[in-house]
Amino acid sequence: MICLGIEGTSHTFGVGIVSSKKNILSDVRDMHTTNEGGIIPVIAAEHHKRVAQKIIEQAILEAKYPKIDLISFSRSPGLPPSLHETRKIALELAKEMNLPVMRVNHVASHLSSAHFHTKVKDPIYLFVSGANTQLIVLENKRFHIIGESLDIAIGNCLDKFAREIGLGFPGGPKIEELAKKGEYVEIPYLVKGMDLSFSGVVTHLANLYKKRIKKEDLCFSLQETCFAMLTEVAERAMANCNKKELVLIGGVAANKRLNEMLNIMCKERKSKFYSVPLKYSGDHGAMIAYQGILEYEKNKKIKTETNSYERIDELDVSWKY
Ligand code: AMP
Ligand code: MG
């Protein structure tokens, strides 16, 4: 089976074509970025509308015009204008090509991409993206969220602070670069049991910036502190659930320092650390296509509504990795 997957929950419009033999035939994307300020949802949706045709055509061309059996798209969770535009694009394409369409959850697709790209079997998932920071475990055909941010996500924390200091979107890679030349200044460390909090960190850093503390030092301290918080809860999740594997997914998984810290922690516990390849850590179409295949084989019911708030623990995990 060959599936064409369309991602468009937020900033990125991506199309991936994947076969059930686990081959990525193509993966093309275009990310809406800014030089200053964050993402405005309706502008992100306009971006998707503008680039859709070109990205779809390029994905089909790069895959060498395969015989596509199925279309899938990310229906949840995300920014409502982006979700609606993506749904519209997917349904129009499915109609044009006379193909069945699957709606899939974006977060489940990120987790499935970990199984696609690595040998991980039964891990604690640490999902770190622009909108989510969650520790997840799969038990009895359900994902359980065993720890999460009580306010903003780690990605959003990085992007918000980047905006405060005049960097554009996405802020994570720019902060990672500046952090290389920084020194530590103390900032709040906010872990509450298995949960985390990042919004106070942004306010604190913004105040230090007004006091003319160097950008580089603030970026370094932000990474060291927030990533240590993530490492602490990830370690506790592994201990509490008796898991010997940790897998890191989501856009912030591109960060080398975060990977390094988690890797050290796992080594010390004699456990295995996995991270998806950098290219596939952020939002992209291939993970949506793979999720379409996983769910189609078990669950052919076709539902196409969008849902901007659907949490991963609401899903029935009908598929097997
Ligand atoms: P996603 O929502 O999964 O597409 O991830 C997007 C988020 O990943 C944004 O908040 C980015 O700032 C963040 N991000 C991307 N690259 C990096 C990086 N190298 N370090 C930290 N965060 C990153
Ligand atoms: Mg994402």
Side-chain angles (χ1 to χ4, degrees), residues 149-152 190-192 195-201 229:
S149 172
L150 298 170
D151 41 57
I152 60 171
L190 300 165
V191 170
K192 301 175 190 227
D195 296 323
L196 307 133
S197 162
F198 296 107
S199 73
V201 173
M229 288 160 54

Side-chain angles (χ1 to χ4, degrees), residues 221-239:
S221 310
L222 167 58
Q223 285 202 164
E224 292 303 302
T225 307
C226 293
F227 295 169
M229 288 160 54
L230 289 168
T231 307
E232 182 192 329
V233 284
E235 177 164 28
R236 195 153 45 245
M238 293 173 80

Side-chain angles (χ1 to χ4, degrees), residues 106 110 127 129 283:
H106 171 93
H110 269 296
F127 177 51
S129 74
D283 295 351

